[in-house]
Each structure stands twice: as C-alpha cells, then as structure tokens.
Amino acid sequence: MVRLFLGLCVVALLVGCSSKEEQSLLQSYAQKTQYHKHLQYTEKAELFEGDDSKIIVTATYLFVPNFEKKDKRPEKFIIGVAFDDPDANSIAFKNESSDGNYTLTLNNKSATKVEKLAFNDKRLKEISFVTEWGEYYEVTFPHINSKRFSLILKHPKYGIKKLPFAKVAKFVYTKKGF
C-alpha cells in the first residue's frame, strides 16, 4: 500500500512539473535544429592593428556526415566577411594575393569555386551571425583527407589567424579536463 502511494506521488509530481512553456521551447528548438547544427560548425576570426579590428570573418562548414570509406566530396563553407578597414573591400580565396589584400585558404589550398550570396539568399537563413553589412560567399575547396583542418586568414600587415574545423566532434581533439 505504501509503495502504491509513493508511486502515485512520484507520478503526480512528474506530471505536475511539466509545463506548456517547456513544450513550446522544445517545439521551437525542433523547428531550428538545422540552425543549431550549423552553429556547431561555425568559427570566427578577427585581425587587428593595435586595438582596431580590421576584418571579421565567420566561417560555417557545410558538412553532412557520410559513412562511405572513400568520401571524396569537396569541402564547402559559407564565409561571412565584414571589413572595418575603409581601404579594404575584397578578400581573395587563393593561396597568394598579389595586391597585398586578405587571403583565405584551406590548409594553404586555394578555392575551386566562389559564389557571392545576396543578403536574402535562402542558404543564409540557417546560418548564424548574418548581418546586413557583411558580404557572404559559398566557397568550395578541394577535398581534405584528414579529419582536422584549418581555414587560414592572412594579411601581410595584420598577421595570420587559423579557424580550426573537424569532420567529427571537436571535443574529441581537446585536452581532457582532468
């Protein structure tokens, strides 16, 4: 009898603690799951001159896991660029830039395809950190065999930043906390 009473109390407690706000939160999250998945594959880099930011780059790796052993798909990214430097207005997606501008490469490999995206492009709807003043590109690089790689942002005057990416969860490559 006591067990039945305790069991009913536990069930009543669990049912009473669930709320409609929790259900609406879960529904909202379910509607934006693709956005949250892309957020896991997004990195940001800035180059500075002193305390002044010159460029902000956000990169979202458009990776869809594939369980084929010999996956040779090219690596695709959506790159967002915001220039704070009034003299700069372009970025090259090739290994070397002859005019001293910014370059962005994948493990020092140049892009094979670059497509500039309009602000209202449907591919930007599920990408985080989209702003009206940024320029956005879908950039395709050659296939990388390793599971870890880096986008490298360079400028001859402002330096180099690396944006690390992985084809598996990044926490696999982090140091253990204990």
Side-chain angles (χ1 to χ4, degrees):
M1 187 68 165
V2 173
R3 287 184 183 170
L4 179 64
F5 178 71
L6 286 175
L8 289 174
C9 286
V10 168
V11 170
L13 182 65
L14 290 176
V15 171
C17 289
S18 66
S19 67
K20 293 188 187 240
E21 289 84 18
E22 180 182 340
Q23 292 172 358
S24 65
L25 176 65
L26 290 174
Q27 287 175 350
S28 172
Y29 179 78
Q31 290 172 352
K32 295 184 178 183
T33 54
Q34 196 64 29
Y35 173 86
H36 297 291
K37 285 180 183 178
H38 284 310
L39 189 58
Q40 292 175 349
Y41 288 102
T42 300
E43 292 289 333
K44 180 185 105 168
E46 291 182 73
L47 290 181
F48 293 95
E49 181 180 39
D51 291 337
D52 297 331
S53 173
K54 295 297 179 182
I55 186 172
I56 299 171
V57 173
T58 58
T60 301
Y61 183 37
L62 302 177
F63 179 69
V64 177
N66 187 348
F67 299 105
E68 294 179 16
K69 287 191 175 190
K70 299 199 180 196
D71 184 17
K72 295 292 182 190
R73 295 177 295 169
E75 313 300 345
K76 286 189 178 185
F77 293 85
I78 296 219
I79 308 289
V81 181
F83 296 101
D84 291 341
D85 187 1
D87 297 332
N89 60 1
S90 67
I91 186 167
F93 297 99
K94 54 187 178 180
N95 204 3
E96 292 297 324
S97 176
S98 59
D99 54 2
N101 267 341
Y102 299 95
T103 60
L104 189 69
T105 58
L106 182 66
N107 285 0
N108 290 320
K109 292 184 179 181
S110 299
T112 56
K113 181 182 173 190
V114 177
E115 179 185 353
K116 189 169 184 175
L117 303 176
F119 178 70
N120 58 358
D121 193 295
K122 66 179 181 173
R123 290 172 279 190
L124 295 178
K125 299 292 183 211
E126 297 175 343
I127 303 297
S128 58
F129 308 116
V130 175
T131 60
E132 293 178 16
W133 56 84
E135 296 176 5
Y136 297 92
Y137 304 89
E138 183 179 71
V139 183
T140 305
F141 290 96
H143 176 73
I144 300 290
N145 287 326
S146 66
K147 293 192 186 279
R148 293 173 63 181
F149 47 86
S150 295
L151 278 174
I152 302 168
L153 175 65
K154 288 187 207 175
H155 189 273
K157 184 177 177 185
Y158 306 129
I160 298 173
K161 283 283 183 158
K162 289 186 177 184
L163 292 90
F165 289 95
K167 293 182 183 179
V168 296
K170 281 193 225 174
F171 68 84
V172 172
Y173 298 112
T174 58
K175 293 181 181 179
K176 291 183 180 180
F178 300 103

